[in-house]
Amino acid sequence: DSGVTQTPKHLITATGQRVTLRCSPRSGDLSVYWYQQSLDQGLQFLIQYYNGEERAKGNILERFSAQQFPDLHSELNLSSLELGDSALYFCASSVEVAGYEQYFGPGTRLTVT
Amino acid sequence: AQKITQTQPGMFVQEKEAVTLDCTYDTSDQSYGLFWYKQPSSGEMIFLIYQGSYDEQNATEGRYSLNFQKARKSANLVISASQLGDSAMYFCAMRDIQGAQKLVFGQGTRLTINP
């Protein structure tokens, strides 16, 4: 158990819908990262937050957004969902903004039908 | 841009044998970190080992060691005395220490340990 929690574990929804994925980092970790794992794209970095501020952005679609709240939990919002958004979404956390150990949560498996 | 290449899509090894998973990387950065993660069939990503670009000695963590050859830009994972529970996907990743904090992953190697 990495100490990072993600909810829900599984999510099935229809095209065009909007979903919110939630992540709670390990106790004491200020940095949260979101990654997407799909069969065709592999594991890709989406976005990083540190202590409530956005720090780095990767291949995140405009339909996707994220935020980190004062209690340090983070949410990834996916809207106007398409079939291609079906993937495993990971949240990871680290102590520092440049923490070398990123601990991953169990992931949320999103299926868009 | 940083790039990780894992050339072995799948590997089959007998239990108790040592196994080496290949990883080569490409970066123009001087400061970077290299990581290996294990992803069992249950899906979670488990951190295994880390090597900094300035570390002079190869990293070791229990049965895992990282064979770091900077000049050849390789960071192979060595698992000694493999166990059935080692069957999983293994991902090599790197991160620019100075700049963006994202991890860049390779495509992974599926390791199967046979009894």
Side-chain angles (χ1 to χ4, degrees):
Chain A
D1 186 348
S2 67
V4 179
T5 60
Q6 289 187 248
T7 56
K9 193 168 178 63
H10 301 278
L11 198 50
I12 302 174
T13 189
T15 55
Q17 295 298 306
R18 172 189 170 95
V19 297
T20 297
L21 313 184
R22 182 187 170 102
C23 167
S24 292
R26 292 189 322 156
S27 177
D29 285 1
L30 299 178
S31 205
V32 169
Y33 313 77
W34 286 97
Y35 293 87
Q36 178 195 59
Q37 184 179 29
S38 62
L39 284 175
D40 54 345
Q41 298 289 331
L43 266 159
Q44 288 198 99
F45 168 75
L46 294 178
I47 197 164
Q48 179 203 5
Y49 278 82
Y50 177 77
N51 204 19
E53 301 283 331
E54 180 185 307
R55 291 303 298 259
K57 225 169 185 176
N59 298 325
I60 188 166
L61 300 171
E62 285 192 11
R63 300 184 286 108
F64 296 0
S65 65
Q67 55 184 325
Q68 186 179 27
F69 295 86
D71 67 352
L72 300 177
H73 91 272
S74 178
E75 293 181 356
L76 180 67
N77 300 296
L78 315 176
S79 61
S80 303
L81 285 168
E82 303 175 359
L83 295 178
D85 297 329
S86 296
L88 187 53
Y89 291 85
F90 286 107
C91 166
S93 74
S94 64
V95 172
E96 303 165 353
V97 64
Y100 77 87
E101 280 191 33
Q102 291 186 19
Y103 292 91
F104 280 70
T108 293
R109 184 168 296 281
L110 173 67
T111 303
V112 183
T113 62
Chain B
Q2 298 173 329
K3 185 178 179 182
I4 294 285
T5 302
Q6 294 180 253
T7 57
Q8 307 153 310
M11 285 194 68
F12 295 84
V13 174
Q14 287 299 118
E15 189 180 8
K16 298 181 185 176
E17 288 184 352
V19 57
T20 297
L21 305 182
D22 295 341
C23 172
T24 58
Y25 60 92
D26 189 22
T27 182
S28 57
D29 299 318
Q30 296 300 310
S31 298
Y32 51 88
L34 295 156
F35 305 76
W36 278 91
Y37 283 85
K38 172 184 177 181
Q39 186 177 37
S41 57
S42 51
E44 72 268 31
M45 295 287 286
I46 302 168
F47 167 78
L48 294 178
I49 198 167
Y50 166 83
Q51 178 87 41
S53 58
Y54 291 117
D55 294 341
E56 293 187 354
Q57 294 199 341
N58 287 340
T60 60
E61 290 286 348
R63 293 186 300 112
Y64 304 107
S65 61
L66 199 152
N67 185 0
F68 181 47
Q69 298 186 47
K70 195 170 182 177
R72 299 178 66 178
K73 293 190 174 179
S74 75
N76 298 339
L77 177 70
V78 180
I79 306 174
S80 63
S82 58
Q83 303 170 356
L84 295 178
D86 293 333
S87 294
M89 282 289 287
Y90 288 81
F91 291 94
C92 180
M94 74 180 301
R95 184 174 65 78
D96 168 19
I97 293 176
Q98 301 291 343
Q101 306 311 315
K102 64 178 182 181
L103 285 174
V104 175
F105 286 88
Q107 290 301 307
T109 296
R110 181 169 297 281
L111 176 64
T112 303
I113 308 297
N114 295 315

